[in-house]
């Protein structure tokens, strides 16, 4: 075997390995359930986010993709215990909604969803504090939250620590 044949066979072997591994990933991405990601129900998280930060004159948390952000953060940045705590909390939200309103959270009216979340907040449960923190961080660091909900100056001027803000002005994005 000469050097050219050896290089050609090595490249074919590497190309075949790359094709097989990428084909497996492509198949996996096409066959996963898009509603359940890492055991968390995206539609439920989206509705919780949209109840806390709804659409007004500015698009809400659902439009900003905060549910996907929360799932990503829980998967990549939080320990397994926290993910389980959030999952148990989401199950509690579904259970309370079914008990009170005889529907799932996603099908409940906005006022019913607000009542459920207010009652859970009054209980002071740890999962809800974490979830609200993720919702706020996800929304106000998204493009929609940073540029439409907050005032954003891409090229700021001088630093003025005693800036007077009008009552109609939005808070500044950092």
């Amino acid at each position: 075997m000469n050097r050219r044949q050896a290089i050609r066979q090595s490249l074919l072997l590497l190309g075949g390995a790359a094709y097989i591994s990428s084909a497996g990933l492509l198949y996996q991405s096409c066959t996963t359930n898009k509603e359940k990601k890492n055991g968390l129900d995206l539609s439920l998280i989206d509705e919780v986010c949209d109840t806390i930060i709804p659409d007004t004159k500015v698009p809400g948390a659902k439009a900003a993709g905060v549910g996907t952000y929360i799932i990503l953060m829980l998967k990549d940045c939080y320990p397994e215990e926290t993910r389980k705590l959030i999952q148990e909390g989401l199950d509690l939200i579904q259970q309370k909604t079914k008990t009170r309103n005889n529907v799932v959270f996603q099908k409940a009216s906005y006022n019913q969803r607000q009542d459920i979340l207010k009652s859970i907040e009054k209980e002071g449960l740890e999962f809800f504090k974490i979830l609200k923190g993720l919702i706020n961080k996800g929304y106000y660091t998204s493009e929609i939250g940073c540029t439409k909900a907050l005032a954003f100056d891409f090229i700021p001027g001088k630093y003025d620590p005693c800036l007077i803000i009008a009552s109609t002005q939005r808070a500044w994005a950092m």
Side-chain angles (χ1 to χ4, degrees), residues 92-136:
L92 176 68
I93 289 173
Q94 279 293 29
Q95 178 188 6
K96 283 188 174 226
T97 308
K98 286 179 184 175
T99 303
R100 287 188 189 175
N101 305 314
N102 210 19
V103 293
V104 294
F105 189 82
Q106 295 92 319
K107 302 280 185 197
S109 71
Y110 179 75
N111 290 333
Q112 291 170 333
R113 291 186 308 207
Q114 256 190 334
D115 291 341
I116 295 293
L117 294 182
K118 283 179 183 177
S119 71
I120 288 175
E121 186 174 30
K122 284 180 186 175
E123 293 176 27
L125 299 174
E126 186 65 25
F127 92 91
F128 198 66
K129 293 175 186 175
I130 296 169
L131 191 60
K132 276 182 60 176
L134 284 169
I135 290 168
N136 282 321

Side-chain angles (χ1 to χ4, degrees), residues 11-22:
L11 290 175
L12 285 172
L13 182 65
L14 287 173
Y19 172 75
I20 289 171
S21 64
S22 62

Side-chain angles (χ1 to χ4, degrees), residues 58 64 137-153 170-174:
V58 177
K137 187 172 186 179
Y139 182 72
Y140 290 109
T141 58
S142 71
E143 182 179 356
I144 289 174
C146 193
T147 59
K148 295 184 180 172
L150 298 173
F152 181 73
D153 190 3
R170 298 178 287 171
W172 286 97
M174 300 303 273

Side-chain angles (χ1 to χ4, degrees), residues 31-42:
T31 58
T32 57
N33 183 356
K34 298 206 183 326
E35 288 300 310
K36 287 257 185 184
K37 293 187 177 183
N38 302 311
L40 297 168
D41 188 355
L42 178 60

